[in-house]
Amino acid sequence: MEDQAAGRKDPDGAYGTPQKYDPTFKGPIYDRGCTDVICCVLLVIAIVGYVVVGVVAWTHGDPRKVIYPTDSRGQFCGQQGTPNEKKPFLFYFDIVKCASPLVLLEFQCPTTQICVSKCPDRYLTYLSAYNSRTPSELEYYRHFCVPEFKNLQKAPIKVLKDKECPAMIIPSTPLARRCFPAIRAKKGVIMVGNETTYDDGHGRRRNVTELLEGAKKANVVLETRQLAMKIFEDYTVSWYWIIIGLVIAMVASLIFIVLLRFLAGIMVWVMIVMVILVLGYGIFHCYMEYAKLKGEAGSDVSLKDLGFQTDLRVYLHLRQTWLAFMIILCIVEVVIILLLIFLRKRILIAIALIREASRAIGHIMMSLLFPLCTFFLLCLCIAYWASTAVFLSTSNEAVYKVFNETACQFSGQTCKPETFNTSNVTKLCPDAQCLFAFYGGETAYHKYLIILQFFNVFMFFWLANFVIALGQVTLAGAFASYYWAFKKPDDMPAFPLFSAFGRALRYHTGSLAFGSLILAIVQVIRVTLEYLDHRLKAADNKFAKFLLSCLKCCFWCLEKFIKFLNRNAYIMIAVYGTNFCTSARNAFFLLMRNIIRVAVLDKVTDFLFFLGKLLIVGSVGILAFFFFTQRIKLVQDTAPPLNYYWVPILTVIVGSYLIAHGFFSVYGMCVDTLFLCFCEDLERNDGSPERPYYMSPELSEILLKGNLEPSKSADSQG
């Protein structure tokens, strides 16, 4: 293994044959040809098909179906330019009927629903309004009848039979643009308004708990929507503070990277100490919160007994929550300290590699901004995928079905509102109604909607992986031009980043499409397995669940391996200009011949970069926590009032990680490229004056443990 680690040929040739010395090799090959043309053509055809799917979806789709509630006739409530423009709320004639199991099957209440300008604010039955001496009550009641109802002198029995008006109205409040009973609890008694019973309009007194059951079933995801609305409110009052937090993370990342350029060794050790201190403070803070809650009422309730709560602040009043946080942080702290102890000597070698990466980035400073280009292209992919998915999911037509209160053989069958009153259904089932049920369709287009959605997901993964691959091969080409420059930086091209980007698009679009296609197929399979796992959660087939879990694990490992292989294959493509399969094979065997260096150097630098990201995210996260919880006295009155302060804090933490990852990914790609070029340099050259190494004297001194004379390295030759 030592021979392999030193880059020498293994006797059995198990890991392939090392590259032979080529006197004409001058680093990245600029005179190259197109690779994997077939995959390039397939990508172009797929993109054209994706555009066609988007156009078809945008032609048939209607996002208003997601935004606005729909009445029994399939009309949108509150939509501008329609008769319902000033009627933004959906009103149920008899919300008690929403307690029917039919709601869970059809996601629609078997009662008439109309759009209204405001929800009712009083108890009133149609009979009492009709018999009232004040015409204003009947006029008020008419706002909750179907729009066609104009004859106020019509007999009440006839009105209720024709379902032109509800039998009664009750005090309601709008929630998610729907009128729900204004239910409240007073001393443990459920009330609507100030009443515990109500008149149903048919001469019967009923308990308000029936309204509560109907309100629950009327919107299956009522609590989820309420949580989403509160989260949205938090974003509206804290978005500018979130942006400030992300800007702080970006500035901190940039300063850290710049300091790493000039003070790599010092910054790495400072970073290690700071991470340990930040985690130590987290452990101390969790312990203080845990001790402070001792003896407080309700603090000893277990997380299992409490169950899921939409208000996550409840969990912070439990001692068990802080104990769990403290244990997790202690485990992370111990693991990091043990790794540092065992890798203390290897960290010195990794620092040398980071120093060399800093020099390379110093000569190609534009590389630090290149992730913004990748981020922009990924945002375009996400935006196109999301908009196409919304338009596809809303391109169904309104489907109407027969709803009735008594037994009817036509119940649940589709119907047409225009001809329903003249059909046989009304004769055989007098109380039946033709109401809007859901959005669907029977045409060929609607039958293949699921295939179009699948194609949309597949193309999203393919294009997203292609964009990431383009970024990787561009950075690899730029950094490879630095390594293989005999006189650094004189032998480098004028604009290495733009040159590498142009070569990637001009010659290797097919290879990038090939690698991203393989990864996309695996990712789509993983998504499909997750979907099947979700569908099988209610099943009792343990063998199927076990098999599915094994498949999920295998494909997760396969995805990680393909990402690792693709990354190194793209480096070989950037250097040699070979096709994807050849590059992947050469990269794999080159790494296998240097497996010890891969494990020791490459992964140690990844660990150090992870600590850097952890430091930035932890520091910004702690600052956001103290700010949004109003614990900083200087700006205590500046923090906005929030429903859930964890919303902006988590947003800042996730955003800070993405920003830090964007900056450190450049360093990571630089280290990987230099490392692969270093291994290639060892196999091509021997350090003699005829075949000098291209690596810098500092790098050769550390990585080759001083076995080389400085005069034999590339820079010394210059």
Side-chain angles (χ1 to χ4, degrees):
M1 293 301 291
E2 288 297 329
D3 287 341
Q4 295 171 23
R8 301 184 183 93
K9 180 179 178 181
D10 55 305
D12 298 329
Y15 299 115
T17 304
Q19 295 285 346
K20 296 181 179 179
Y21 173 67
D22 182 4
T24 64
F25 181 74
K26 301 296 183 182
I29 298 175
Y30 302 108
D31 184 16
R32 56 182 73 192
C34 296
T35 56
D36 297 308
V37 179
I38 295 177
C39 290
C40 181
V41 174
L42 287 177
L43 178 64
V44 172
I45 294 174
I47 291 176
V48 172
Y50 198 21
V51 172
V52 172
V53 170
V55 171
V56 172
W58 297 335
T59 303
H60 292 80
D62 191 353
R64 296 174 302 177
K65 298 172 184 177
V66 178
I67 301 172
Y68 303 103
T70 309
D71 65 10
S72 297
R73 301 182 180 184
Q75 298 174 340
F76 303 116
C77 298
Q79 183 195 351
Q80 294 183 354
T82 66
N84 292 331
E85 180 178 0
K86 297 182 179 179
K87 299 178 179 180
F89 305 114
L90 188 69
F91 172 73
Y92 300 88
F93 267 31
D94 189 358
I95 201 169
V96 175
K97 293 180 181 178
C98 295
S100 167
L102 186 63
V103 176
L104 300 177
L105 297 176
E106 301 287 358
F107 292 98
Q108 184 74 3
C109 292
T111 184
T112 304
Q113 301 159 46
I114 62 171
C115 300
V116 295
S117 57
K118 61 179 181 180
C119 298
D121 58 6
R122 67 193 74 169
Y123 273 110
L124 197 61
T125 64
Y126 185 76
L127 289 174
S128 60
Y130 182 83
N131 296 324
S132 175
R133 296 181 180 179
T134 55
S136 59
E137 285 211 350
L138 186 57
E139 185 63 30
Y140 174 80
Y141 204 98
R142 193 174 67 84
H143 289 93
F144 305 101
C145 299
V146 295
E148 294 79 15
F149 178 68
K150 304 291 183 182
N151 186 8
L152 299 179
Q153 303 302 319
K154 189 175 181 179
I157 297 177
K158 184 66 174 173
V159 172
L160 297 179
K161 183 180 179 182
D162 294 340
K163 293 182 173 58
E164 294 177 310
C165 293
M168 52 86 191
I169 58 176
I170 57 175
S172 304
T173 55
L175 181 62
R177 295 195 177 193
R178 290 161 174 79
C179 294
F180 290 101
I183 298 170
R184 63 189 181 92
K186 186 176 182 181
K187 295 182 179 180
V189 179
I190 297 176
M191 306 177 71
V192 174
N194 292 317
E195 302 288 337
T196 57
T197 60
Y198 68 97
D199 189 338
D200 66 356
H202 298 284
R204 292 177 294 176
R205 300 293 298 181
R206 304 177 73 167
N207 196 297
V208 296
T209 53
E210 298 182 47
L211 294 174
L212 176 63
E213 187 65 23
K216 287 181 178 178
K217 291 286 184 69
N219 192 345
V220 181
V221 291
L222 184 58
E223 288 189 3
T224 305
R225 289 191 177 185
Q226 190 175 6
L227 175 64
M229 291 171 66
K230 288 184 177 181
I231 291 175
F232 179 76
E233 290 175 3
D234 288 342
Y235 277 124
T236 58
V237 298
S238 64
W239 63 269
Y240 44 91
W241 293 109
I242 293 175
I243 292 178
I244 292 174
L246 297 180
V247 170
I248 292 174
M250 184 175 66
V251 172
S253 301
L254 186 59
I255 292 174
F256 192 93
I257 291 296
V258 171
L259 291 176
L260 202 62
R261 162 70 179 88
F262 300 101
L263 305 168
I266 297 175
M267 286 301 298
V268 167
W269 289 112
V270 168
M271 172 183 67
I272 291 172
V273 173
M274 289 296 295
V275 168
I276 293 174
L277 291 178
V278 168
L279 289 175
Y281 174 77
I283 295 170
F284 171 76
H285 181 79
C286 291
Y287 174 76
M288 294 301 294
E289 293 288 343
Y290 175 78
K292 188 171 67 175
L293 290 174
K294 186 177 181 180
E296 288 195 13
S299 62
D300 292 324
V301 177
S302 66
L303 293 171
K304 183 178 180 181
D305 294 336
L306 182 63
F308 175 74
Q309 301 292 326
T310 55
D311 187 355
L312 300 184
R313 290 174 295 184
V314 174
Y315 296 105
L316 299 181
H317 295 284
L318 301 180
R319 299 187 74 205
Q320 198 175 85
T321 302
W322 292 105
L323 180 62
F325 286 159
M326 185 168 61
I327 292 173
I328 293 172
L329 290 177
C330 285
I331 294 173
V332 174
E333 181 92 326
V334 170
V335 169
I336 289 177
I337 291 175
L338 290 176
L339 286 174
L340 291 173
I341 292 173
F342 287 109
L343 298 175
R344 63 188 184 277
K345 293 182 179 179
R346 302 302 180 185
I347 288 175
L348 295 174
I349 303 176
I351 289 174
L353 200 56
I354 292 175
R355 280 202 189 100
E356 190 68 16
S358 298
R359 295 190 191 97
I361 292 175
H363 292 300
I364 315 173
M365 290 298 291
M366 284 296 295
S367 61
L368 292 175
L369 300 178
F370 188 76
L372 295 178
C373 176
T374 303
F375 178 75
F376 174 73
L377 293 176
L378 282 176
C379 286
L380 288 181
C381 293
I382 294 172
Y384 188 87
W385 163 76
S387 59
T388 303
V390 169
F391 276 92
L392 282 174
S393 61
T394 58
S395 59
N396 289 309
E397 299 172 346
V399 175
Y400 299 85
K401 290 196 173 186
V402 177
F403 292 92
N404 59 287
E405 298 180 14
T406 58
C408 178
Q409 59 180 333
F410 300 102
S411 178
Q413 294 184 7
T414 56
C415 58
K416 294 183 178 180
E418 300 83 7
T419 60
F420 183 73
N421 292 330
T422 59
S423 64
N424 293 329
V425 179
T426 54
K427 297 178 181 178
L428 299 175
C429 306
D431 62 337
Q433 293 178 279
C434 184
L435 303 178
F436 167 78
F438 55 86
Y439 289 104
E442 300 296 332
T443 64
Y445 169 73
H446 295 104
K447 290 180 179 179
Y448 291 106
L449 268 179
I450 185 66
I451 297 178
L452 296 180
Q453 285 283 24
F454 181 84
F455 179 72
N456 183 35
V457 172
F458 171 74
M459 285 302 302
F460 166 71
F461 281 121
W462 193 2
L463 292 179
N465 289 323
F466 177 82
V467 168
I468 295 172
L470 179 62
Q472 290 177 343
V473 79
T474 300
L475 291 174
F479 295 133
S481 66
Y482 165 82
Y483 185 94
W484 295 110
F486 197 71
K487 295 181 180 180
K488 301 176 176 60
D490 297 338
D491 290 346
M492 291 175 60
F495 301 100
L497 193 68
F498 294 108
S499 299
F501 183 76
R503 288 196 305 272
L505 280 181
R506 182 179 179 183
Y507 298 110
H508 306 303
T509 299
S511 297
L512 302 182
F514 191 9
S516 54
L517 174 62
I518 296 172
L519 186 56
I521 292 173
V522 175
Q523 289 173 333
V524 168
I525 293 174
R526 285 197 63 203
V527 170
T528 305
L529 291 175
E530 290 291 343
Y531 173 75
L532 293 175
D533 185 43
H534 178 73
R535 295 296 298 267
L536 287 174
K537 279 185 177 179
D540 295 328
N541 193 331
K542 294 183 179 180
F543 175 76
K545 290 183 178 180
F546 172 76
L547 182 61
L548 202 58
S549 299
C550 293
L551 289 174
K552 286 169 59 179
C553 179
C554 291
F555 277 96
W556 180 84
C557 296
L558 180 61
E559 182 184 356
K560 295 299 179 184
F561 174 74
I562 290 176
K563 283 184 176 180
F564 171 78
L565 188 62
N566 281 8
R567 184 182 179 91
N568 290 283
Y570 296 147
I571 296 174
M572 300 300 279
I573 290 172
V575 175
Y576 293 108
T578 51
N579 61 47
F580 177 79
C581 292
T582 302
S583 300
R585 184 184 67 248
N586 292 340
F588 178 76
F589 286 135
L590 180 62
L591 292 172
M592 288 299 100
R593 292 193 297 270
N594 296 270
I595 189 65
I596 294 180
R597 285 197 176 100
V598 173
V600 172
L601 294 180
D602 204 31
K603 296 311 165 188
V604 170
T605 53
D606 288 344
F607 173 67
L608 294 178
F609 289 147
F610 171 74
L611 291 184
K613 289 184 278 188
L614 195 64
L615 175 61
I616 293 172
V617 173
S619 303
V620 176
I622 290 174
L623 180 63
F625 173 79
F626 278 100
F627 175 77
F628 287 112
T629 55
Q630 301 179 351
R631 301 191 183 192
I632 303 177
K633 293 184 178 180
L634 292 176
V635 290
Q636 193 170 12
D637 298 331
T638 310
L642 300 167
N643 296 306
Y644 310 116
Y645 62 77
W646 53 265
V647 171
I649 293 175
L650 284 181
T651 305
V652 169
I653 289 175
V654 173
S656 299
Y657 178 81
L658 294 176
I659 291 172
H661 179 73
F663 281 100
F664 278 95
S665 65
V666 177
Y667 254 93
M669 197 66 201
C670 184
V671 168
D672 288 347
T673 302
L674 295 181
F675 177 75
L676 212 62
C677 291
F678 164 77
C679 296
E680 191 76 4
D681 196 9
L682 286 181
E683 294 190 349
R684 286 184 170 274
N685 307 301
D686 58 8
S688 63
E690 295 79 17
R691 296 166 58 184
Y693 287 116
Y694 281 79
M695 68 188 78
S696 65
E698 295 83 2
L699 196 62
S700 63
E701 182 179 355
I702 291 292
L703 295 183
L704 299 180
K705 300 179 181 180
N707 291 334
L708 294 175
E709 295 296 333
S711 61
K712 295 180 181 179
S713 62
D715 281 2
S716 64
Q717 293 294 322

